[in-house]
Amino acid sequence: MSNLLQFSISEALSLLEKKEFSTRELVETYINAIEKTKDLNMYLTTCFDQALEQAKISDQNYLNGNQRFFEGIPLGVKDMFCTKGIETTASSKILKKFIPTYESTVTQNLWKEGAINLGKLSCDEFAMGSSNETAARGEVINPWNFEEKRTPGGSSGGSAAAVAAKAALAATGTDTGGSIRQPAAFCGVVGLKPTYGRCSRWGIVAFASSLDQAGPITRNVSDAALMLQVMSGYDPKDSTSSNKNVPNFYNDLGKSIKSIKIGIPEEYNSDGISSDILNAKDMTINFLKENGAEIIPVKLPLTKYSLPVYYIVAPAEASSNLARYDGVRYGARIDGDSLDEMYENTRNLGFGDEVKRRIMIGTYVLSSGYYDAYYLKAQKVRRLIKNEFTEIFKQVDYLVTPTTPTTAFKLGSTQDLLTMYLNDVFTVPASLAGIPGISLPIKLDKNKLPVGIQILGKDFDEQGLLNVAKVIETCASFKDTPNGATS
Amino acid sequence: MKNTDQNSNYISGKTGDWEIVIGLEIHAQVLSSSKLFSGASTEFGKDPNHNVSLVDAAMPGMLPVINQTCIKQAIKSGIALNAEINKYSVFDRKNYFYADLPQGYQISQYKYPIVGEGSIKITDANGEDKVIGIERIHLEQDAGKSLHDQHPSKSFIDLNRTGVALMEIVSKPDLRSPEEAASYVKKIRTVLRYIETCDGNMEQGSLRADCNVSVRKPNGDLGTRCEIKNLNSIKFISQAIQYEAERQVEILENGGVIDQETRLFDTSTGETRSMRSKEDAHDYRYFPDPDLLPLELSDSQISEIRSDMPELPDQLVERLISEYGITKYDANVIVEEKEYVHYYENSAKNRDGKLVVNWMTSELFGLLKKNNIQFNQNPISPNHLNELVELIENKTISGKIAKDVFEIMFATSKSPKMIVKEKGLEQVTDDSVIEDFVDQVINENKDKVKEYLSGKDKLFGFFIGQVMKVSQGKANPGLVNKILKSKLK
C-alpha cells in the first residue's frame, strides 16, 4: 500500500473522494512511513492514535458526502506551533513536557478543514539556526544521501525532511529569515514564506515577532497553493495579521507568464557559490524566457546590509520574546536559593548555546548606550531595504535568485558561526521586507543534492509567485526522490 | 524645622529657606471591564489567579490585542486634563524579570505616549488657583502581585492584576509643597472619577503615586531628586514628601550631597528609605512592541469623544456658583465628589441654595463623619433635605427645631414633614399664644424684669431664651422678639 505515498495533496483529495482508498489507509501508510524513517530523527512527538481517530471521522464524512476542503490529508507540524493536548517544545529543553491547552490559529485552520495531524516535527531550538543542529533532541538527517548525514537545513529542517522523505504529505513551517525556504531548497521540496501578516502568528512560539511567518512545505507548487489557502486568513487575535482577502490560490494557478517582467538581482551572488547553483539560476532564466517572460538584470545595492540588520533585529526581539521562559509558570524549572538563582539555573540549563548567544546579542543591542547605534540604526536600514524592494517592484514583477549559496552541507561541518549565518544571505532580505518568497527544486548538483531557486514578489502577491513557480516547476520537471525516502 | 512666614511653603533650615520641588507620577487604573491587551476581567477581589487569560499568563505564542475601551478612556482623560491627544502613539516593551511579570516585559508607552502636554487647576495653600502642568499620559499594563506571607519558604503569585490597564499621568515639577501635592492628587482623582475613567479607589490600589522630590534654595537651580515609589493614600503622599524634603535639607546643610535614588516610604515609621541607587537602576531596554502596530487615531475619533465629554469639575464649580449663589469654597466642597453634586442639585431644587449647602456640608457631613457612615449610605434622601429646608423657609419650623428634626431624619430616614407633624413641632405663630408664653416668663422672673427695666439691656436675650424654652422651641423667634419688646416697656 506504500504507493499511496506517491500522491500529492490534490491527487489524494480526488482519490479519497472517489473512494479509491480510505483516509484510514492513507494515514496508516504515513504512520508506517514515519516508523520506517525514524533514523532521520524528524518527529519529536507523534500522535498516531489521535490521527487514526480523526481518519475515522474523515472516512465517515467522505461516506456521507460532506467532506471538508482538506478532509483526511495527513500533515506534519513544526514544533513551533502550539497544538492542543500535544507536547509543544520548540525543540527546546526549556519547554519539555509543555502541553498547550490551545491550538494555534494556523493549525486550527487546517484541522477545521479536515486535515490530520501526524505529529510534531523537529526544528532548530526556537527556530534559531540554519542546520537543525540546535534542536534539543538532536539534528534531523537530510533524506538525500542520508548515509552522508547531511543537514536538512533549518530551522524547519524536520518539516522539509519529512516532506522529502514522504513521512508527511505536507508540513507547516515557520520562516523568520529563511527557515522555510532554505530547508526546502536543501531537501528538494517546495517552501513558501507568505507575506508578513498573511498567516496568523497566534499560537506560534515567537522567535522574532516582526519577521515570523508561517507557511507550507510541500511536494509541489500546487500543494503549496492548497496549503496556503487553508492556512491563511485574518485573525483578530493577531494585531499584525492582514484582513486582505485570501484568494483561491489553487484554482487560479496556471496563468501564462507571457511578458511579465522578471528581475535578476546581481547582488544575489557570493564568493564560493557553486557552479551548480549558478547553473540552476541560468536554467530557470531560460525556462522563463521560453515562456515569454522578460528578463531584466536589476540592482539591489542594500542587499549586503540585510544579514547584519537581521542579526540585530531578530535577536533583539528574541531576547524579549524568550523572557517568558523563566521557570515560574510552565516548562522546565531548576530550583535555586533565590528567585534570581532559579532564573539563572532554569535558563542556563533550559536554553542551548545558540539561543543563549542570540539572547545576549539581543540584550546588548537594546541596552542603553547601544540602542541607537545598533537597534535603531538597524531598523532604519530595514526600512530602506523595504523601500528598495518597493522601488524595484515598480520596474519588475518578480525577482528570481538562488535560495542558498550552497547545497546541503554535512552535519557538524560548519565550525564557524558567520559561515552558518551566511546560509540565509539570500533569504533574509525578503524577511526584512515582509514580502513573499517561494523556493522550489530545479535540479541535483554534482553530489546528487537538490538545488533550490527562490522567487520573490510584491506584498500579498503569493498568487503571482505561485504562477511563476508553477511554470518553472513544469519546465524543470524535477522528479528525483531522495534515497532516504520511503518508497 | 518649621515653615517660615514669608512663604508658608518653604522649609526653614539653618542656612535659610529651602523650596521643595515635586513632580508626581500618578498610576490610575483605567475603568474598563477587561484588561489592556486581553479579554480577562478586571473585577477586583476575585480569588487569586481567577481573572487570568492565556495572554496574561504569557503562554507561548500568545499575542496582545489592544482594548479599544482603554484607548477611549485615555483620550477622555487627556481631554479632561486639557491635554494634547497624540494621533500617533507607540506601545513599547519595558524589559525586566520579576516573578509577577509573566511576559518578562511590561507593555508601556515610552517615546510616543497617547496623551501629550496638558494642565490642571488646583487650589494652593492660600486658597488661590494654581495651574499645574501635565507632562504626558501614557497607557501601560499593571503587573501581578507577589504574596510573600502565605508560606514560610515560598512566594505565591497572583496574576489577577496582570495586564490591567493603567494610565500613568506625569506632572511637571510644578508642585511646591506636600499640601499642593495632596491637592493635585485629589483634583486628578476628582476629574478622573467625574469622567469615569478611573474609580480613584486608593485603598484598592486603583490610584497610586510615585513622588519625585528635590529641594533647592528659593528659585535656585534644581536639586538632585529622589523618587518615592508607590504611595497609595493622600496622607502618605504628604507625609512622605515632607519627610523626604526635610531629610534632603538636613543632608545638604551638613555639607552632604543627595544621591539620585529610588526610595520607599515606611508607613509605620513615616520615614523614607533607600530602595535602589541610580547605579543599580534597571536598564529596561525599551523597544517598540513588534506584536502591536503603532496606534493611530483619527480626528473624528477624537472629536467624537470630545463632544461626548461630561461636565468637568471646574465648569461645574462655575455653574454652581452662578446657579445657586453659593461661595466658591462651598462649590469646591460639593464638586469634590460627583455624588455630592447629584445630591446637592436634587436637594436644592426650588430652595435657597446657600441654606441647602450649609445643611449639607456642616450638618449632614458632620453626622456622617460622627457616625462613620459613607456618603452613599446616607440615610437622608435629597427629597427629605429639600423638604426640611422648605419647612424652614416657610417658617413651619425654626432653624433650631430643624436641627432636632434633622437628627431624627438621620436616625429614622423619615420625612421631615412627618416628624414635625408627629411631634407637633410646628412653629407657633399665633400672637396670643406667644403672649401667654411671654406673660408666664415675665411673671416668673419679676426681679430680672426689674433689673432690665433699670437699664440692664443684656437681659433681653435671657427673656428670649426663656420664652423659647417655655414654648419648647416652637415659638417664632421674630414674634417672640416683637412681643417681648412691647411687653417690657
Side-chain angles (χ1 to χ4, degrees):
Chain A
M1 204 120 71
S2 57
N3 63 338
L4 295 190
L5 295 175
Q6 69 190 299
F7 302 119
S8 67
I9 296 178
S10 54
E11 289 164 343
L13 285 172
S14 95
L15 293 168
L16 282 167
E17 195 177 343
K18 289 180 195 148
K19 309 197 175 57
E20 297 283 331
F21 50 84
S22 68
T23 304
R24 186 181 174 85
E25 286 170 301
L26 185 64
V27 169
E28 278 173 349
T29 307
Y30 273 97
I31 290 174
N32 204 15
I34 292 169
E35 299 286 3
K36 279 192 192 159
T37 53
K38 258 190 170 157
D39 290 348
L40 300 180
N41 198 28
M42 300 179 296
Y43 279 88
L44 298 175
T45 311
T46 52
C47 38
F48 297 155
D49 290 346
Q50 184 193 300
L52 289 168
E53 280 304 308
Q54 290 300 315
K56 272 190 206 161
I57 296 171
S58 289
D59 280 332
Q60 197 60 46
N61 286 342
Y62 275 114
L63 205 66
N64 300 335
N66 35 16
Q67 63 272 19
R68 294 162 288 178
F69 186 69
F70 245 36
E71 195 73 65
I73 298 301
L75 304 175
V77 172
K78 188 181 185 182
D79 207 31
M80 296 294 280
F81 293 82
C82 289
T83 41
K84 189 174 178 175
I86 300 168
E87 188 179 26
T88 299
T89 68
S91 264
S92 179
K93 276 194 282 191
I94 210 159
L95 277 175
K96 201 175 169 185
K97 295 194 180 134
F98 171 66
I99 297 173
T101 56
Y102 49 93
E103 185 77 34
S104 85
T105 299
V106 164
T107 46
Q108 185 59 42
N109 287 345
L110 289 163
W111 316 145
K112 208 169 57 196
E113 290 298 336
I116 293 174
N117 187 5
L118 293 167
K120 305 298 289 291
L121 291 159
S122 177
C123 55
D124 281 291
E125 186 181 3
F126 284 103
M128 297 178 193
S130 310
S131 66
N132 220 287
E133 289 169 297
T134 72
R137 290 254 301 271
E139 62 264 14
V140 171
I141 293 159
N142 192 322
W144 293 86
N145 302 351
F146 72 92
E147 62 288 342
E148 294 174 7
K149 292 205 168 23
R150 288 181 182 269
T151 176
S155 66
S156 309
S159 299
V163 174
K166 296 195 166 61
L169 184 35
T172 64
T174 61
D175 190 315
T176 304
S179 281
I180 287 175
R181 293 160 287 162
Q182 185 254 18
F186 278 13
C187 293
V189 292
V190 174
L192 170 60
K193 180 201 94 77
T195 312
Y196 183 79
R198 179 66 94 181
C199 291
S200 167
R201 292 185 296 112
W202 194 88
I204 300 173
V205 176
F207 161 15
S209 313
S210 74
L211 296 155
D212 295 345
Q213 186 57 207
I217 294 180
T218 56
R219 303 229 187 115
N220 61 38
V221 173
S222 300
D223 281 3
L226 279 170
M227 279 282 281
L228 181 64
Q229 206 165 308
V230 183
M231 292 166 72
S232 302
Y234 171 65
D235 180 2
K237 291 186 287 189
D238 174 2
S239 312
T240 62
S241 109
S242 163
N243 55 11
K244 280 221 162 47
N245 187 39
V246 179
N248 194 326
F249 295 117
Y250 179 74
N251 281 3
D252 294 344
L253 273 181
K255 275 209 190 97
S256 159
I257 60 161
K258 198 165 162 23
S259 68
I260 64 156
K261 294 179 180 141
I262 307 277
I264 311 293
E266 69 175 35
E267 290 80 6
Y268 283 60
N269 209 328
S270 69
D271 296 338
I273 189 165
S274 79
S275 55
D276 278 311
I277 287 172
L278 292 175
N279 176 252
K281 188 173 92 176
D282 293 339
M283 281 170 66
T284 307
I285 291 171
N286 283 332
F287 298 151
L288 293 165
K289 277 185 187 160
E290 283 162 18
N291 280 278
E294 190 185 338
I295 305 296
I296 302 166
V298 294
K299 287 195 162 92
L300 290 166
L302 295 176
T303 301
K304 61 173 178 284
Y305 298 115
S306 292
L307 216 48
V309 165
Y310 176 80
Y311 276 98
I312 290 169
V313 173
E317 294 181 10
S319 70
S320 176
N321 281 336
L322 270 60
R324 65 187 57 200
Y325 307 109
D326 56 6
V328 174
R329 296 167 311 285
Y330 51 79
R333 175 194 290 186
I334 319 281
D335 281 325
D337 287 338
S338 65
L339 179 64
D340 283 349
E341 212 180 288
M342 189 278 282
Y343 286 151
E344 284 166 18
N345 293 344
T346 300
R347 290 168 67 83
N348 183 34
L349 292 167
F351 290 138
D353 286 349
E354 184 60 25
V355 170
K356 284 182 203 162
R357 186 177 295 121
R358 296 202 196 188
I359 289 173
M360 285 191 282
I361 293 171
T363 304
Y364 177 79
V365 299
L366 288 176
S367 55
S368 98
Y370 300 98
Y371 181 89
D372 289 356
Y374 291 100
Y375 184 77
L376 195 63
K377 179 70 75 61
Q379 287 292 30
K380 286 178 181 166
V381 179
R382 181 178 182 183
R383 165 66 57 186
L384 295 176
I385 290 169
K386 171 77 186 166
N387 292 347
E388 195 172 78
F389 275 110
T390 306
E391 285 306 308
I392 214 77
F393 282 128
K394 287 176 185 165
Q395 298 166 40
V396 299
D397 300 305
Y398 303 97
L399 297 166
V400 168
T401 80
T403 310
T404 54
T406 70
T407 49
F409 48 90
K410 286 186 183 160
L411 287 162
S413 66
T414 314
Q415 304 299 325
D416 167 18
L417 273 173
L418 289 180
T419 312
M420 182 67 87
Y421 291 173
L422 276 172
N423 264 290
D424 300 327
V425 68
F426 299 150
T427 49
V428 153
S431 294
L432 291 174
I435 58 173
I438 188 169
S439 174
L440 73 160
I442 301 298
K443 57 172 264 185
L444 294 182
D445 73 356
K446 59 180 185 296
N447 297 319
K448 301 280 176 223
L449 295 168
V451 178
I453 282 292
Q454 172 179 243
I455 312 163
L456 305 176
K458 298 181 187 96
D459 280 342
F460 298 102
D461 188 18
E462 288 89 352
Q463 183 71 65
L465 216 58
L466 287 159
N467 278 330
V468 175
K470 179 82 182 167
V471 169
I472 298 171
E473 182 184 54
T474 307
C475 295
S477 187
F478 181 85
K479 293 270 189 279
D480 301 87
T481 48
N483 59 355
T486 322
S487 51
Chain B
M1 279 176 275
K2 264 165 73 186
N3 288 338
T4 61
D5 294 336
Q6 291 89 340
N7 185 322
S8 60
N9 286 341
Y10 291 167
I11 290 179
S12 138
K14 286 187 294 194
T15 59
D17 285 344
W18 293 86
E19 185 179 25
I20 316 175
V21 178
I22 306 154
L24 293 187
E25 292 164 21
I26 292 179
H27 299 264
Q29 186 179 318
V30 176
L31 259 184
S32 99
S33 55
S34 56
K35 296 182 179 181
L36 183 51
F37 295 111
S38 85
S41 162
T42 55
E43 196 182 333
F44 183 81
K46 283 279 184 175
D47 285 345
N49 297 311
H50 198 89
N51 295 342
V52 186
S53 74
L54 295 168
V55 175
D56 305 324
M59 300 305 280
M62 292 300 100
L63 299 170
V65 176
I66 188 90
N67 178 345
Q68 289 300 332
T69 304
C70 298
I71 301 295
K72 244 192 193 163
Q73 293 287 60
I75 296 170
K76 220 171 153 185
S77 305
I79 292 170
L81 297 176
N82 311 303
E84 191 185 336
I85 308 302
N86 292 323
K87 288 200 279 178
Y88 176 90
S89 69
V90 174
F91 286 97
D92 295 278
R93 290 186 185 178
K94 179 180 181 180
N95 295 281
Y96 66 97
F97 281 93
Y98 201 64
D100 57 25
L101 186 75
Q103 293 169 137
Y105 53 84
Q106 174 195 33
I107 306 177
S108 179
Q109 296 191 300
Y110 187 51
K111 275 191 191 156
Y112 303 98
I114 184 165
V115 178
E117 290 193 349
S119 65
I120 190 168
K121 209 161 66 181
I122 64 164
T123 310
D124 71 8
N126 308 318
E128 303 283 324
D129 284 344
K130 179 172 176 178
V131 174
I132 304 300
I134 307 274
E135 182 72 37
R136 59 186 277 169
I137 305 176
H138 66 254
L139 278 167
E140 63 183 26
Q141 297 176 297
D142 207 343
K145 259 187 207 156
S146 294
L147 310 167
H148 302 296
D149 53 0
Q150 309 282 311
H151 188 274
S153 60
K154 288 183 171 143
S155 289
F156 291 169
I157 306 294
D158 177 7
L159 298 181
N160 281 353
R161 209 177 60 186
T162 302
V164 167
L166 298 177
M167 290 180 282
E168 181 170 329
I169 304 165
V170 183
S171 84
K172 298 199 179 240
D174 290 349
L175 299 159
R176 291 291 175 270
S177 69
E179 294 75 26
E180 276 185 24
S183 164
Y184 168 80
V185 175
K186 267 192 208 159
K187 186 64 182 283
I188 292 270
R189 181 175 174 274
T190 300
V191 169
L192 299 184
R193 283 170 57 84
Y194 260 82
I195 59 172
E196 292 173 353
T197 63
C198 173
D199 67 19
N201 199 329
M202 296 188 84
E203 304 87 71
Q204 290 179 5
S206 304
L207 200 107
R208 333 190 269 273
D210 298 342
C211 305
N212 285 291
V213 180
S214 65
V215 295
R216 65 174 175 188
K217 287 289 181 180
N219 301 314
D221 291 337
L222 280 176
T224 304
R225 67 191 158 84
C226 289
E227 184 184 20
I228 314 160
K229 279 274 179 207
N230 222 12
L231 296 160
N232 67 351
S233 88
I234 289 172
K235 193 176 101 192
F236 293 154
I237 290 169
S238 307
Q239 283 178 358
I241 293 170
Q242 187 67 37
Y243 177 86
E244 179 59 22
E246 288 177 4
R247 186 188 73 89
Q248 292 184 14
V249 166
E250 194 171 313
I251 291 173
L252 293 170
E253 291 199 327
N254 289 313
V257 286
I258 305 301
D259 296 323
Q260 188 178 332
E261 60 183 2
T262 304
R263 299 179 69 83
L264 284 177
F265 180 66
D266 186 330
T267 53
S268 57
T269 62
E271 293 173 1
T272 67
R273 61 186 154 81
S274 183
M275 182 176 144
R276 60 172 177 260
S277 70
K278 196 187 174 191
E279 291 73 43
D280 299 331
H282 291 298
D283 181 352
Y284 289 118
R285 291 171 283 121
Y286 281 101
F287 76 108
D289 190 332
D291 286 333
L292 294 161
L293 302 171
L295 181 66
E296 296 188 53
L297 305 172
S298 65
D299 285 322
S300 64
Q301 211 176 339
I302 299 168
S303 57
E304 200 176 298
I305 296 172
R306 197 180 289 280
S307 66
D308 213 26
M309 290 294 285
E311 194 173 26
L312 295 171
D314 287 350
Q315 300 164 337
L316 198 48
V317 165
E318 296 304 319
R319 182 169 69 77
L320 292 182
I321 292 171
S322 68
E323 209 165 295
Y324 297 95
I326 59 178
T327 64
K328 187 171 177 182
Y329 177 85
D330 282 338
N332 272 319
V333 172
I334 295 291
V335 165
E336 212 164 273
E337 296 286 351
K338 211 175 186 171
E339 50 186 357
Y340 296 171
V341 178
H342 190 73
Y343 187 91
Y344 175 71
E345 295 212 84
N346 279 320
S347 41
K349 223 172 270 169
N350 304 319
R351 299 277 81 82
D352 177 350
K354 280 192 231 169
L355 207 49
V356 174
V357 89
N358 287 341
W359 276 96
M360 187 173 160
T361 58
S362 51
E363 302 306 321
L364 178 59
F365 284 4
L367 277 180
L368 287 170
K369 198 172 173 191
K370 194 174 140 196
N371 292 284
N372 203 13
I373 294 172
Q374 294 296 310
F375 188 80
N376 57 13
Q377 307 290 318
N378 169 18
I380 297 179
S381 75
N383 278 346
H384 286 173
L385 179 57
N386 182 291
E387 219 173 73
L388 180 74
V389 174
E390 187 184 8
L391 292 174
I392 301 167
E393 282 175 0
N394 66 20
K395 302 196 161 57
T396 306
I397 54 175
S398 67
K400 189 158 180 302
I401 290 286
K403 282 191 189 178
D404 299 337
V405 173
F406 193 77
E407 282 190 18
I408 298 167
M409 286 163 72
F410 194 85
T412 63
S413 290
K414 279 188 181 167
S415 101
K417 276 185 184 157
M418 191 184 285
I419 296 166
V420 166
K421 202 171 162 198
E422 277 176 8
K423 310 235 163 194
L425 297 172
E426 290 96 338
Q427 190 158 241
V428 177
T429 49
D430 184 332
D431 282 15
S432 64
V433 177
I434 295 174
E435 269 177 41
D436 288 349
F437 291 148
V438 170
D439 290 344
Q440 190 188 335
V441 168
I442 289 175
N443 282 332
E444 286 170 3
N445 296 281
K446 286 198 172 119
D447 46 341
K448 291 256 166 42
V449 173
K450 234 179 238 169
E451 285 179 45
Y452 175 78
L453 291 175
S454 64
K456 212 168 176 190
D457 291 348
K458 276 190 198 156
L459 279 171
F460 191 73
F462 165 78
F463 292 118
I464 294 223
Q466 288 302 306
V467 174
M468 293 309 285
K469 199 174 164 188
V470 167
S471 76
Q472 288 171 304
K474 291 188 284 187
N476 178 300
L479 288 175
V480 172
N481 198 310
K482 202 179 97 190
I483 293 167
L484 252 179
K485 269 195 179 144
S486 68
K487 294 226 174 199
L488 284 173
K489 271 187 198 155

